[in-house]
Amino acid sequence: MDATGSARAILARSLLILFLVSLSGCAFLMPEPPEPVVQVEPEPEPEPEPELEPAPAPVVEPEPEPAPLPPPKPVLPKPVGPLVAVVLSNRTPAFVDVSDALVEYLDNHEIYDLSDRSLLPEAAFAEIASSGARAVVAIGLSAAHAAADYSTVPVVVSQVFNTSESRLLSPNLKAVRVLPPIEQQVEAWLKFDPSIRNVGALLGEGHNDLIAETDKALRKYGIKFHYAIAESDRETLYLFNRLVREIDGFILFPDNRILSRKVLTAMMSSASQNRVQVAVFNEPLLQLGATFSASAVDSDIAASITKALNKIIDGRTDDVPQVSDLSELRITTNPAAMQRLGLNLPESSNDDTVAVAE
């Protein structure tokens, strides 16, 4: 090989070595590639457990209110064995109904009707005296007066309001009230109208006990009692027309001395015009426009008479009250009057009987 070729070969190798060294240096000077970043996938969160809706609270049905207790049954008296004379003033249904209820308790009885003109009162009581009757029941005012005059045996008077007349009450002449308990009437009234606050009444002379009883029953429920004493039916109407502007309720007592049909009609008309509620003592008066009646119950009257008779026949006349109380009343409403006055109509019926436990 000539020198030129040899030199070229050396030069080529030198260049190659130099090139390789350059490459090596470049590789040395280049930074090392960064470590690959490992992306750690987060563990997937567990799916939330479905929220369970709370079970609905059990529906607790309210306990039904207990049904109202029925009125207590009055204690029935024992039947009367000895003969009893029942004397009627006349055949008025109110008198006959009490007589019919009474004879259910009488094992032996005779009925005398003083409206039968063939039998004068004196003759009737002479017959009673000879019959051996141990007691007399006089029903109505005429019978009561006749018994006071002619009876030779103890008497029990029924269906007479003005028993305070001196000639009608004596140690041997007792009476049973015409009216049921006033407090029961007030309690029934408050069911119709809880807002009633002023109640009036008019009476004749001789009813101080009834006035006191009525005032006490009304005051117990925060009701003011307005009353006046009248001496005639004309005065009754005059006093009523003055009183009606001060009251929202009126109790009509059965005092025949100060009442008449004409005056009753005028009073009912005035009460209606002034929106005054009227409580009466028997159902027929509802036809005149009264709001409700609070009347005695025939069977209760008969039971009270029988209790008095049993004591009399047992020789305990002194143990019989001068006037025996009743324990039941029957409330009968006038729906038209109740609606006109905006009162609470009873849910069950317009006829309800209330009793007092003994």
Side-chain angles (χ1 to χ4, degrees):
M1 174 180 301
D2 56 17
T4 304
S6 177
R8 291 179 178 172
I10 294 169
L11 180 58
R13 285 195 298 269
S14 297
L15 291 174
L16 178 61
I17 292 169
L18 180 61
F19 176 73
L20 290 175
V21 169
S22 297
L23 287 178
S24 174
C26 290
F28 179 80
L29 295 174
M30 290 179 64
E32 295 183 1
E35 294 278 340
V37 177
V38 179
Q39 297 288 342
V40 179
E41 293 288 338
E43 293 186 6
E45 294 184 4
E47 293 186 5
E49 295 184 4
E51 294 184 5
L52 298 178
E53 293 187 5
V59 178
V60 179
E61 294 289 339
E63 294 186 6
E65 293 185 5
L69 295 175
K73 293 183 178 180
V75 178
L76 298 179
K78 66 179 182 180
V80 179
L83 178 63
V84 173
V86 180
V87 182
L88 299 174
S89 293
N90 53 54
R91 304 296 297 182
T92 297
F95 299 163
V96 174
D97 291 346
V98 170
S99 174
D100 290 345
L102 176 62
V103 298
E104 296 294 323
Y105 292 103
L106 305 180
D107 293 339
N108 295 286
H109 68 277
E110 292 288 345
I111 295 179
Y112 299 82
D113 179 8
L114 296 186
S115 64
D116 181 356
R117 297 303 178 185
S118 65
L119 186 64
L120 296 177
E122 187 173 2
F125 278 91
E127 186 176 318
I128 291 170
S130 63
S131 70
R134 296 282 300 278
V136 168
V137 176
I139 302 177
L141 186 60
S142 298
H145 282 158
D149 290 339
Y150 302 118
S151 181
T152 58
V153 294
V155 178
V156 179
V157 171
S158 176
Q159 299 300 84
V160 176
F161 180 66
N162 293 307
T163 55
S164 58
E165 293 182 18
S166 59
R167 62 190 296 253
L168 284 186
L169 295 179
S170 68
N172 280 330
L173 196 152
K174 309 292 186 177
V176 169
R177 293 185 63 169
V178 172
L179 300 175
I182 296 296
E183 186 171 343
Q184 286 187 17
Q185 178 175 325
V186 175
E187 290 171 351
W189 202 335
L190 287 169
K191 292 179 182 179
F192 305 145
D193 183 6
S195 66
I196 194 162
R197 286 296 174 266
N198 290 277
V199 169
L202 298 170
L203 298 105
E205 292 285 351
H207 290 288
N208 293 338
D209 290 346
L210 179 58
I211 290 171
E213 178 192 357
T214 306
D215 183 50
K216 180 180 178 181
L218 291 168
R219 279 192 296 107
K220 179 178 178 181
Y221 297 99
I223 303 171
K224 186 175 180 180
F225 186 37
H226 307 253
Y227 71 91
I229 306 300
E231 295 184 357
S232 67
D233 60 342
R234 292 183 64 183
E235 186 178 13
T236 295
L237 183 57
Y238 169 76
L239 292 171
F240 182 81
N241 287 334
R242 292 182 56 187
L243 187 62
V244 75
R245 296 188 292 269
E246 303 175 15
I247 60 177
D248 43 21
F250 183 81
I251 301 175
L252 182 68
F253 288 116
D255 196 336
N256 62 305
R257 301 170 300 171
I258 63 167
L259 294 174
S260 65
R261 179 79 179 188
K262 182 178 179 181
V263 163
L264 277 175
T265 302
M267 289 170 65
M268 292 297 181
S269 175
S270 179
S272 178
Q273 292 172 9
N274 288 275
R275 298 185 62 80
V276 170
Q277 305 162 38
V278 180
V280 294
F281 52 87
N282 64 23
E283 295 177 22
L285 290 173
L286 296 176
Q287 298 174 8
L288 295 179
T291 312
F292 70 95
S293 72
S295 56
V297 180
D298 298 328
S299 58
D300 185 44
I301 297 171
S304 188
I305 294 171
T306 303
K307 292 172 185 176
L309 290 173
N310 279 321
K311 291 180 180 178
I312 289 169
I313 289 169
D314 288 345
R316 298 186 292 123
T317 303
D318 292 342
D319 293 341
V320 180
Q322 200 65 63
V323 181
S324 296
D325 290 333
L326 299 178
S327 60
E328 297 183 37
L329 84 164
R330 177 174 289 111
I331 297 292
T332 308
T333 59
N334 179 344
M338 299 276 286
Q339 188 172 16
R340 184 176 67 252
L341 293 167
L343 302 181
N344 300 322
L345 284 167
E347 294 181 2
S348 54
S349 72
N350 68 339
D351 193 335
D352 191 19
T353 301
V354 182
V356 174
E358 293 186 354

